Amino acid sequence: MKLTRTIVTEEGWNQASDRLANGGLTLLGLWGDAPCVYMALLDEATAEILVLSYACRDGAYPSVGARHPPAIRLERTIRDLHKLNAAGAVDTRPWLDHGGAPYAFLPAEGEGLHQIAVGPVHAGIIEPGHFRFTANGEHIVRVEQRLGYVHKGIEALMSGATLDDAAKLAARTSGDSTVAYTYAFALAAEAALQIAPPPRAVYLRALMAELERLANHFGDIGAICNDASFALMHTQTGILRERTLRAAELCFGHRLMMDVIVPGGVIHDLAADGPARLEELLSEIRRAFPPLVELYDNTASLQDRTVTTGIVKPDYARQYGAGGYVGRASGRNFDARRAVGYEPYSHLAFKVPVLDAGDVNARIWIRIREVEQSLALIDQILSLLPTGEIQTAIQANGKACEGLGLVEAFRGDVLVWLRLDASGQVARCHLRDASWFQWPLLETAIKDNIVADFPLCNKSFNCSYSGHDL
Amino acid sequence: MRKTLFESMTRGPLTEPPPAPDEAGLAELAQSVNRAARAKLGRSLSIRHVDAGSCNGCELELHALSNAFYDLERFGLRFVASPRHADVLTVTGPVTKNMREALKRTYDAMPDPKWVVAIGACAVDGGLFAASDVVEGGVKDVLPVDLHIRGCPPSPTELLKGLIALLERAA
């Protein structure tokens, strides 16, 4: 992937912050690699990605978050993990480090307000995180998230790891996006080492990515409806999800297709009867899914829960560079497959659905439309699938190098930035889930909704805890 | 909606025959489960789940247990919302430092008799994350574990085998 890293002075760093603040650029990532801090920027007009680095002075760099709020949690993370301070930061509380003093939640003042503390252990089978609601009766005036409970030190473990071991860690950053993470990691490694995977592997990667997208969209469309107590949809889409995972296992040897994509290619070729199995899967989905869409569209009691609930304002979606269905349901026309156009997507025809309403309903419709697009993409991939090798040998090139990968996971763009040392080991790897820029918008979306609609809103985002907590 | 429901009635169930209990699981459980507890529970166990640091892969497969193909509830096993209602605690992930306290409190909130099932490669010994400074290790480093179900993640069938073994021994 095209990558230019520019070493900047304080002036250059601040200019970038200003361009973020005035909307000229979108923040793709902000991370530490002591003694430097790095910032990845996207120019949406030209689809160009820029990476800036700034050498900290006395362990500090000028705060980006003070001018551009989407950077605030990233700066708090950099302080926790790398001991580098953002000078002039507006929020200096720790984020992933839970070791210090009791956490100070932001205050909300007014008559008749009470707090509801939820988590980190939730009622369902979901990941842990804490939500602090301030409400007046049923009406929420503020919700504040506290995350970091599943912080496993992934990036620290990657430093000094071999490329193979680091790829396995990348695969376990967020299990629901394991294909997308290994895909982005492989692209970053291949960009750093300037090698290209064989054409067949390029198409197989996209095939896996679309199967992963289908499985997650099916599961979540049903789960959102289930949070509105409409269990029938959950049952029916659960069947489609299971069929998709079974097809994935038959084709690639693992239900979630974990560890199949590696730097240099893929390690498991499509099974001999894979194309036939996938044709069966596609025809079953094309038979079973449209009636479910109709059911969703025609059930007034369900629509009553999803329409106008949990609205993300388009301005926020743009400011935060919100990826995936969260951004696209709020008017942000961005999909890494289209915008950055990595292979093989530049050779495939697909539409990027965009809506403006920004509510739970719009996020469901984006996913419904994306299911249809993924089906069409799988058709094309199967008909264009090249023959030949599936892996190119990886060799260290004897000098330190850097690479970046940006891949569209089901919930949005995953960014991987990688620095390898001369022996080909990982010196530093940064993984940025789409959730970083979606979690804060959930706080804005829930305001003025009722407490009982929070699960519905939360599920319609389905942000990753593990992908965020690292 | 009526059409979908009617179709479901005429097409027959998707639910598959249960797998045999996991032999290694039965052996591991032989030591931890006593006869008195079995008599009280009457072949039904309530499960409370805690993710103590998982990548969420194990959670996806735990969810799959409730789909039409595996139908966990036919075995008398069900997930409950509160540890106060639970007989079994399933735990995934390496236990992170940040989740240790919440995990222990969940366990302490459960009434006796109770069992702990560690699910997935990370829950056994920390897995790929064992060497991390911010990880405590496997579940056994924090709680007494009665049964391990291995895999990354374990498939729904492997999960069922382990949980049926628990049911054979415990309830």
Side-chain angles (χ1 to χ4, degrees), chain B residues 17-19 43-45 70-77 160 164 167:
Chain B
R43 291 201 63 81
S44 173
L45 293 175
Y70 304 106
D71 189 18
L72 184 71
E73 295 212 8
R74 71 183 143 148
F75 302 107
L77 296 166
L160 268 189
I164 291 172
L167 200 62

Side-chain angles (χ1 to χ4, degrees), chain A residues 256-279:
Chain A
L256 305 180
M257 298 164 283
M258 210 169 234
D259 302 328
V260 180
I261 298 178
V262 295
V266 299
I267 58 162
H268 194 302
D269 205 345
L270 181 62
D273 60 347
R277 298 288 184 170
L278 291 171
E279 294 295 347

Side-chain angles (χ1 to χ4, degrees), chain A residues 431-454:
Chain A
L431 311 138
R432 196 271 300 142
D433 197 89
S435 305
W436 278 99
F437 301 125
Q438 295 170 340
W439 275 121
L441 299 187
L442 178 60
E443 289 186 353
T444 71
I446 196 64
K447 191 172 168 289
D448 300 328
N449 282 255
I450 59 172
V451 177
D453 277 341
F454 179 73

Side-chain angles (χ1 to χ4, degrees), chain B residues 13-85:
Chain B
L14 292 167
T15 311
E16 295 169 341
D22 178 44
E23 291 298 326
L26 284 173
E28 189 180 3
L29 286 163
Q31 291 148 28
S32 62
V33 177
N34 69 47
R35 198 171 284 271
R38 289 171 65 177
K40 278 184 192 154
L41 292 162
R43 291 201 63 81
S44 173
L45 293 175
S46 295
I47 306 170
R48 174 64 254 210
H49 176 68
V50 171
D51 168 350
S54 135
C55 74
N56 79 31
C58 288
E59 277 61 37
L60 296 175
E61 297 299 47
L62 281 164
H63 268 291
L65 288 176
S66 299
N67 76 28
F69 295 83
Y70 304 106
D71 189 18
L72 184 71
E73 295 212 8
R74 71 183 143 148
F75 302 107
L77 296 166
R78 61 193 188 112
F79 289 104
V80 293
S82 168
R84 306 261 184 223
H85 305 157

Side-chain angles (χ1 to χ4, degrees), chain A residues 96-98 120-128 148-154 157 168-169 172-176 216 230 232 235-236 238-239 241-243 245-246 254-256 258 284 287 292 295 299 411 464 466, chain B residues 1 4-5 7-8 11 14 16 48-57 59-64 67-70 79-82 94 96-99 102-103 106 128-132 134-135 152-153 155-156:
Chain A
L96 298 184
D97 183 356
H98 290 194
V121 178
H122 300 282
I125 306 172
I126 61 168
E127 299 180 79
Y149 288 93
V150 287
H151 173 51
K152 296 181 268 297
I154 292 176
L157 287 168
K168 288 201 164 59
L169 287 164
R172 285 152 188 82
T173 305
S174 185
D176 52 16
N216 281 303
F230 196 68
L232 175 63
T235 306
Q236 296 294 328
I239 292 168
R241 177 181 162 83
E242 180 67 21
R243 290 195 194 284
L245 296 185
R246 289 180 174 201
H254 191 286
R255 285 164 57 89
L256 305 180
M258 210 169 234
E284 173 59 17
R287 184 195 70 75
L292 298 177
L295 177 62
T299 304
R411 69 161 62 80
S464 176
S466 184
Chain B
M1 177 161 29
T4 309
L5 287 170
E7 266 185 23
S8 305
R11 288 163 72 93
L14 292 167
E16 295 169 341
R48 174 64 254 210
H49 176 68
V50 171
D51 168 350
S54 135
C55 74
N56 79 31
E59 277 61 37
L60 296 175
E61 297 299 47
L62 281 164
H63 268 291
N67 76 28
F69 295 83
Y70 304 106
F79 289 104
V80 293
S82 168
T96 64
K97 282 202 157 60
N98 291 350
M99 270 306 285
L103 176 63
T106 305
L128 288 182
F129 306 101
S132 172
V134 291
V135 161
C152 186
S155 68

Side-chain angles (χ1 to χ4, degrees), chain A residues 395-409:
Chain A
Q395 278 187 327
N397 59 9
K399 56 182 196 287
C401 51
E402 295 171 12
L404 181 142
L406 189 75
V407 161
E408 189 72 17

